[in-house]
Amino acid sequence: IIFYATPLWGSIGNVDQVEGNGVIERNKEDTIIQEELEIEQFDTVKTGNGKVGILFIDDTRVDVTQHSKLIIDEFVFDPNSGTGKLSIKAALGTVRYASGQIAKNSRQDVKITTPTATIGVRGTDFSMTIDELGGSTIILLPSCDVSGNCFVGEISVESAAGQVILNQAFQATQVN
């Protein structure tokens, strides 16, 4: 398999919604978030009184709410096969994740972490809220299309205490 590896300076997505203020930290420099701002591997998204919507090139969607921090560790995507690797860390605040092609076609290569949990994605939507002490609350959400058709996927949440599977809409777990 040949992957389209995105170089360190290449775009892996862009900001498609912004409300209020926030910055992208890249190479130890902050850039004010604006619509159409390109997102790159290793970026850190930090919001103040703002919200940011990011659409990755594989159609993964990540929404970062007020007073939150998201770290993009790795993104590799082959548009021909729809496979790749995605690794992100929700470090503070609330982040909503909606699966794109990578999770649908190679879900074992999606790694989403918080300070206290690792989330295994099986093609779905969920939110993560991380408090100041690193505690994580993860909620499975229904995925709905523009026609109003909804389905519920499944996620696994792992920590040092064990693993739980969430597979019903609005099921939640908390990891401290």
Side-chain angles (χ1 to χ4, degrees):
I1 297 176
I2 298 173
F3 283 99
Y4 168 72
T6 306
L8 298 178
W9 56 88
S11 175
I12 59 171
N14 69 340
V15 173
D16 71 344
Q17 291 180 350
V18 64
E19 179 183 311
N21 62 358
V23 295
I24 299 285
E25 182 183 308
R26 181 179 300 150
N27 300 322
K28 298 185 182 183
E29 292 185 20
D30 289 345
T31 301
I32 295 173
I33 296 175
Q34 301 173 7
E35 282 195 41
E36 303 303 319
L37 177 67
E38 292 185 346
I39 300 298
E40 297 179 8
Q41 191 165 231
F42 308 120
D43 281 354
T44 297
V45 180
K46 299 184 283 187
T47 59
N49 289 327
K51 300 177 187 177
V52 176
I54 299 169
L55 185 63
F56 290 87
I57 58 176
D58 78 319
D59 294 326
T60 294
R61 174 151 193 85
V62 177
D63 294 314
V64 184
T65 65
Q66 297 97 339
H67 308 289
S68 298
K69 182 177 178 182
L70 174 75
I71 302 162
I72 302 166
D73 290 322
E74 181 178 23
F75 186 94
V76 178
F77 179 60
D78 177 3
N80 296 321
S81 67
T83 60
K85 290 184 91 169
L86 169 67
S87 178
I88 61 176
K89 179 179 183 179
L92 181 67
T94 300
V95 176
R96 180 175 176 162
Y97 169 91
S99 294
Q101 292 179 38
I102 294 173
K104 292 178 174 124
N105 298 319
S106 49
R107 64 184 183 206
Q108 70 280 3
D109 293 320
V110 175
K111 181 180 179 185
I112 300 175
T113 59
T114 73
T116 52
T118 299
I119 301 157
V121 176
R122 296 179 176 98
T124 194
D125 293 13
F126 61 93
S127 71
M128 306 162 275
T129 300
I130 296 83
D131 65 29
E132 293 81 4
L133 299 176
S136 306
T137 301
I138 296 106
I139 304 170
L140 181 63
L141 301 169
S143 300
C144 300
D145 62 22
V146 293
S147 302
N149 299 316
C150 298
F151 69 93
V152 178
E154 184 175 277
I155 60 175
S156 65
V157 179
E158 295 181 44
S159 72
Q163 178 188 52
V164 296
I165 303 293
L166 306 179
N167 55 18
Q168 294 181 28
F170 304 108
Q171 274 186 317
T173 189
Q174 189 167 17
V175 183
N176 293 315

